[in-house]
């Protein structure tokens, strides 16, 4: 949009929104753009009530079946280095698609992987277990596009786990991981590991429950459903 010589037109806005990596982010971007247009007194180029819709029930339920995640992991030995890298980062840490896309050698060094969460902006810093260290050696030198990550996971899923329904990508793996960790770890541990901000009635609990990051990783990895496959 910054390259537009005047007020962005319909195609410019639609193309910008289409580049967002989830229905929820598309919807959020739509309303941000509307406020931007209003603040600059630009005519809004889209019809009224044209905001992207989010099926909240489906969004909250889409999880990759554990058997499919395990099939992907067992296939890692014959994947390309790039595929195995993204798969390891996704299944072990539950990174989102945009977080995976931003990973470069500056995020992986000296036995530690770090990433800034795209939601909330918290910095996640984790140790790298021996089981996945060889796969993380294939870290790319440059960021990838979100579309590239989508294509990589689609290809991996098709080859290793068969054709899966639309939406079974990094976030479906993330939800599967969270569901599994909920059976083995206390809430504050999961919150810290996933890089979430605390809130609601548990704010006090999470304010004071601040275990050492290394201990958080140790507890999570001990009961991690996919690390020891």
């Amino acid at each position: 949009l910054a390259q537009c010589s005047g007020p962005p037109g319909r195609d410019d806005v639609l193309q910008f929104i289409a580049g967002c990596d989830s229905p929820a982010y598309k919807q959020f971007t739509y309303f941000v753009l509307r406020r931007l247009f209003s603040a600059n007194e630009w005519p809004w180029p889209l019809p009224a009530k044209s905001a992207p819709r989010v099926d909240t029930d489906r969004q909250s339920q889409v999880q990759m079946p554990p058997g499919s995640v395990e099939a992907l992991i067992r296939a890692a030995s014959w994947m390309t280095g790039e595929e195995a890298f993204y798969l390891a980062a996704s299944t072990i840490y539950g990174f989102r698609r945009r977080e995976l896309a931003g990973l470069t050698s500056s995020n992986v060094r000296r036995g530690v992987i770090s990433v800034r969460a795209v939601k909330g902006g918290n910095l996640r810093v984790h140790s790298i277990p021996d089981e996945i260290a060889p796969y993380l050696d294939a870290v790319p030198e440059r960021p990838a596009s979100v579309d590239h990550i989508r294509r990589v996971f689609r290809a991996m899923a098709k080859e290793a786990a068969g054709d899966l329904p639309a939406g079974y990508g990094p976030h479906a793996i993330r939800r599967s991981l969270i569901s599994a960790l909920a059976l083995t770890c206390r809430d504050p541990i999961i919150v810290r590991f996933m890089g979430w901000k605390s809130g609601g009635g548990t704010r006090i609990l999470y304010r004071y429950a601040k275990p050492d990051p290394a201990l958080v990783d140790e507890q999570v990895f001990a009961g991690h459903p996919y690390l020891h496959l």
Side-chain angles (χ1 to χ4, degrees):
L1 293 180
Q3 298 176 352
C4 296
S5 57
R10 175 181 178 277
D11 291 344
D12 299 316
V13 172
L14 290 177
Q15 183 177 3
F16 189 81
I17 293 175
C20 301
D21 63 347
S22 71
Y25 194 55
K26 285 181 171 69
Q27 186 184 77
F28 172 77
T29 301
Y30 171 93
F31 288 111
V32 169
L33 291 176
R34 287 211 62 165
R35 294 185 65 179
L36 174 66
F37 272 68
S38 177
N40 286 278
E41 298 183 349
W42 294 339
W44 180 243
L46 302 181
K49 299 182 180 180
S50 58
R53 295 184 178 182
V54 178
D55 186 342
T56 54
D57 289 338
R58 185 176 184 278
Q59 285 284 313
S60 63
Q61 294 174 0
V62 175
Q63 297 185 22
M64 184 174 287
S68 296
V69 180
E70 292 168 10
L72 285 172
I73 293 172
R74 292 192 178 98
S77 60
W78 51 258
M79 290 180 180
T80 67
E82 178 191 47
E83 290 173 339
F85 169 82
Y86 287 125
L87 180 64
S90 173
T91 56
I92 303 306
Y93 303 107
F95 291 145
R96 299 176 178 91
R97 187 180 291 116
R98 283 200 294 150
E99 293 164 354
L100 292 170
L103 288 174
T104 67
S105 56
S106 64
N107 301 97
V108 182
R109 55 178 62 184
R110 297 181 180 178
V112 171
I113 184 169
S114 61
V115 64
R116 183 73 62 179
V118 298
K119 293 184 179 180
N122 285 353
L123 180 64
R124 294 181 60 183
V125 180
H126 299 288
S127 58
I128 298 176
D130 293 340
E131 290 88 340
I132 64 168
Y135 300 112
L136 295 191
D137 284 342
V139 57
E141 291 299 320
R142 298 180 180 179
S145 69
V146 169
D147 284 341
H148 180 71
I149 300 298
R150 186 180 293 110
R151 288 192 295 269
V152 167
F153 275 81
R154 187 181 299 125
M156 285 192 294
K158 186 174 182 179
E159 294 173 5
D163 289 321
L164 292 170
Y168 278 71
H171 217 94
I173 293 175
R174 174 183 172 88
R175 294 189 186 102
S176 179
L177 172 60
I178 293 168
S179 295
L181 292 180
L183 301 177
T184 61
C185 297
R186 295 182 298 112
D187 286 358
I189 295 295
I190 298 174
V191 167
R192 296 299 173 188
F193 184 79
M194 300 306 298
W196 292 329
K197 288 188 175 181
S198 58
T202 58
R203 183 175 296 131
I204 298 298
L205 169 63
Y206 298 134
R207 180 185 303 168
Y208 293 106
K210 295 183 178 180
D212 182 273
L215 295 179
V216 170
D217 286 347
E218 181 180 341
Q219 289 194 32
V220 170
F221 293 154
H224 201 292
Y226 306 129
L227 178 60
H228 307 290
L229 292 177

